[in-house]
Amino acid sequence: GESVGLHLPTLSVQEGDNSIINCAYSNSASDYFIWYKQESGKGPQFIIDIRSNMDKRQGQRVTVLLNKTVKHLSLQIAATQPGDSAVYFCAEVDNAGNMLTFGGGTRLMVKP
Amino acid sequence: EPEVTQTPSHQVTQMGQEVILRCVPISNHLYFYWYRQILGQKVEFLVSFYNNEISEKSEIFDDQFSVERPDGSNFTLKIRSTKLEDSAMYFCASSGSGVSSYEQYFGPGTRLTVT
């Protein structure tokens, strides 16, 4: 994907460890947040979402935490695998539910 | 699993030429979107489309851009007179209705290179 070349923060973890990827969002009125994964040469892939009236949501091996006080999102990946290596973006959805505003992304590198 | 598809995967065109990027959204989805990602930058929203009309567009989406749903399956983005700065990856996305309207699923993208 075109994230190659982005001056991205990089998180390097050992296979099997847990990963935490952080994101700050800008619009305190955003109602909905999504984490996307983008592998090289592919489009963003939906991972997990959370509404603004929640502070935590769990999926399969992933957990999203939302702190509205400081406008902060995090994505936790349990038992990280080499296939998790990608760029991860958070995105906020506008109140009309039409437009995603993406954050700058974090590159996750998993060492076998 | 249903997915959004896009063609072509790579389009090379000369400055000033018209290009049409094509997308087939997920079949039961009602909302359609175009985003772009210039090399080295974030994914940026261009336009959203619902019920055969544009529902929202960004400042990027000027008069050179247009979208169309010519039939029941395709969703196209046309750039009338391409500029060098239009070179980017263009992603189509679609989402369902109700609560699912927030879940946008992306296609693999079309790499547009303007020379």
Side-chain angles (χ1 to χ4, degrees), chain A residues 33-35 46-50 57-59 62-64 75:
Chain A
F33 304 89
I34 306 175
W35 277 100
F46 179 96
I47 303 174
I48 191 168
D49 55 10
I50 189 168
R57 188 161 188 227
Q58 285 186 289
V62 294
T63 301
V64 55
L75 177 71

Side-chain angles (χ1 to χ4, degrees), chain A residues 1-7 31-32 34 36 38 41-46 49 51 57 89 93-104, chain B residues 31 33 35 37-45 47-48 50 55-58 88-89 91 95 99 101-109 111:
Chain A
E2 289 305 309
S3 55
V4 173
L6 265 170
H7 184 64
D31 188 45
Y32 193 76
I34 306 175
Y36 282 93
Q38 188 175 25
K42 298 184 180 179
Q45 177 189 352
F46 179 96
D49 55 10
R51 293 198 75 108
R57 188 161 188 227
F89 294 95
V93 184
D94 72 331
N95 294 338
N98 283 323
M99 182 175 77
L100 289 175
T101 301
F102 282 83
Chain B
Y31 297 83
Y33 313 84
Y35 292 81
Q37 188 177 27
I38 294 173
L39 183 64
Q41 298 186 23
K42 300 181 197 179
V43 177
E44 300 172 289
F45 171 79
V47 65
S48 60
Y50 171 71
S55 47
E56 195 165 355
K57 60 182 180 180
S58 70
M89 283 290 286
F91 295 107
S95 61
V99 175
S101 67
Y102 291 121
E103 297 180 13
Q104 296 184 24
Y105 291 87
F106 284 74
R111 182 193 300 271

Side-chain angles (χ1 to χ4, degrees), chain A:
Chain A
E2 289 305 309
S3 55
V4 173
L6 265 170
H7 184 64
L8 294 170
T10 298
L11 175 65
S12 185
V13 301
Q14 205 69 41
E15 180 178 0
D17 287 351
N18 297 333
S19 303
I20 300 176
I21 299 170
N22 297 303
C23 173
Y25 63 91
S26 55
N27 185 357
S28 57
S30 292
D31 188 45
Y32 193 76
F33 304 89
I34 306 175
W35 277 100
Y36 282 93
K37 171 186 181 183
Q38 188 175 25
E39 296 174 281
S40 183
K42 298 184 180 179
Q45 177 189 352
F46 179 96
I47 303 174
I48 191 168
D49 55 10
I50 189 168
R51 293 198 75 108
S52 61
N53 61 354
M54 303 169 68
D55 52 22
K56 180 179 181 178
R57 188 161 188 227
Q58 285 186 289
Q60 190 176 24
R61 271 201 316 119
V62 294
T63 301
V64 55
L65 300 177
L66 173 62
N67 184 332
K68 293 185 291 292
T69 304
V70 295
K71 294 192 286 186
H72 183 268
L73 273 168
S74 68
L75 177 71
Q76 300 177 358
I77 305 173
T80 315
Q81 302 167 1
D84 295 326
S85 294
V87 177
Y88 289 81
F89 294 95
C90 69
E92 52 187 305
V93 184
D94 72 331
N95 294 338
N98 283 323
M99 182 175 77
L100 289 175
T101 301
F102 282 83
T106 297
R107 188 185 306 280
L108 176 66
M109 298 176 62
V110 182
K111 296 176 287 187

